[in-house]
Amino acid sequence: MNALPFAIIQFETPPAGVMARVGEQQHWFIAAAGLQPDAWLIVRPDLGEALPDPALLSGAILSGSWAMVTDHAEWSERTAAWIRSAMDHQLPLLGVCYGHQLMAYALGGKVGDNPRGWEGGVQQITRHEEGAEDALLGALPGQFSAWLSHRQSVLRPPTGARVLASSVMDPCQIVRYSPQALSVQFHPEFTAAIMAACQQNSSRREAAGEALPEPSWPLRLLQNFCQQPRAIARLA
């Protein structure tokens, strides 16, 4: 009997300059979550790969991307349909940045350019009082720091979803859709080196700075998500 794998659903790849320095999204999540080689599989819908049967997974992480949800790319729309199916199967889901926005869009919310502008670097996140009762978020302090880099945001969460955290520039930093599914606008998988590589590839220079303390609470959230009880597959 082996645990079913986690799927890391990766949406495209970073610009060449970022990849050369720090790799791509799958590498960041695997390192941050401490996943063992037999505990995960990589899915690239942007390369035409089929999305896995939710019944054959213990959970899924939907990555960030340099794409925009509002571009409605074929692979993005196909993944949105898969998210709805995964929700029906009660599959544990964690959306991050693009994945956060795609989950909200797929489930009936609205995504678009953040009217407050670009949010990047280390920012303070405020966990709402309701989040203290959340099984995954209850350990988070009322305020914590996180890496961010995004232009678009969840402008309106889906009906029935609960917004559990916010920042000065974005009121939808954590959204809970069901007991199994949530998404975050910030990047729990980022390190200072990843943030610096992204900044050096951009004309923007957010005040992140590698000298600042590494945000630790988002990383703990990611690791706790991946350590939730897993479904067990019976092998022949």
Side-chain angles (χ1 to χ4, degrees):
M1 297 177 72
N2 288 341
L4 294 169
F6 263 92
I8 299 175
I9 302 176
Q10 180 176 315
F11 302 123
E12 299 192 328
T13 55
V18 175
M19 281 191 65
R21 294 188 62 190
V22 291
E24 53 189 301
Q25 296 99 307
Q26 57 182 276
H27 304 138
W28 310 341
F29 280 107
I30 291 166
L35 295 175
Q36 298 302 308
D38 62 348
W40 47 266
L41 59 88
I42 308 300
V43 185
R44 290 287 304 278
D46 59 293
L47 297 180
E49 294 181 2
L51 288 146
D53 182 346
L56 300 180
L57 301 174
S58 63
I61 296 170
L62 297 106
S63 83
S65 178
W66 272 253
M68 298 292 168
V69 170
T70 53
D71 289 341
H72 302 293
E74 180 278 333
W75 55 264
S76 186
E77 295 295 313
R78 182 160 47 88
T79 306
W82 180 86
I83 289 169
R84 293 188 285 271
S85 173
M87 290 289 293
D88 290 341
H89 283 80
Q90 299 184 339
L91 180 70
L93 295 174
L94 175 64
V96 173
C97 197
Y98 186 96
H100 162 75
Q101 296 164 19
L102 185 61
M103 283 182 67
Y105 162 77
L107 300 174
K110 181 180 179 182
V111 171
D113 287 356
N114 186 341
R116 297 173 179 83
W118 189 283
E119 185 179 38
V122 175
Q123 301 294 337
Q124 286 293 110
I125 308 297
T126 299
R127 190 209 62 202
H128 299 172
E129 187 171 335
E130 186 181 2
E133 306 301 320
D134 187 271
L136 191 63
L137 307 179
L140 295 174
Q143 286 200 321
F144 59 94
S145 60
W147 296 113
L148 287 118
S149 183
H150 68 109
R151 190 188 79 192
Q152 294 201 324
S153 296
V154 175
L155 303 180
R156 186 186 70 241
T159 301
R162 293 175 295 137
V163 177
L164 299 181
S166 59
S167 67
V168 170
M169 293 190 67
D170 194 327
C172 291
Q173 285 287 345
I174 302 179
V175 180
R176 170 67 79 178
Y177 307 95
S178 75
Q180 297 80 27
L182 79 160
S183 63
V184 300
Q185 181 58 70
F186 51 84
H187 284 278
E189 81 284 15
F190 267 27
T191 64
I194 295 170
M195 187 77 248
C198 293
Q199 287 183 319
Q200 290 188 12
N201 192 74
S202 171
S203 59
R204 297 181 180 275
R205 294 291 182 267
E206 297 94 350
E210 293 192 42
L212 292 175
E214 289 266 332
S216 60
W217 287 103
L219 178 61
R220 187 175 303 186
L221 187 157
L222 172 64
Q223 293 172 344
N224 288 347
F225 173 81
C226 293
Q227 291 166 6
Q228 293 179 116
R230 299 181 180 186
I232 300 297
R234 293 185 180 274
L235 301 182

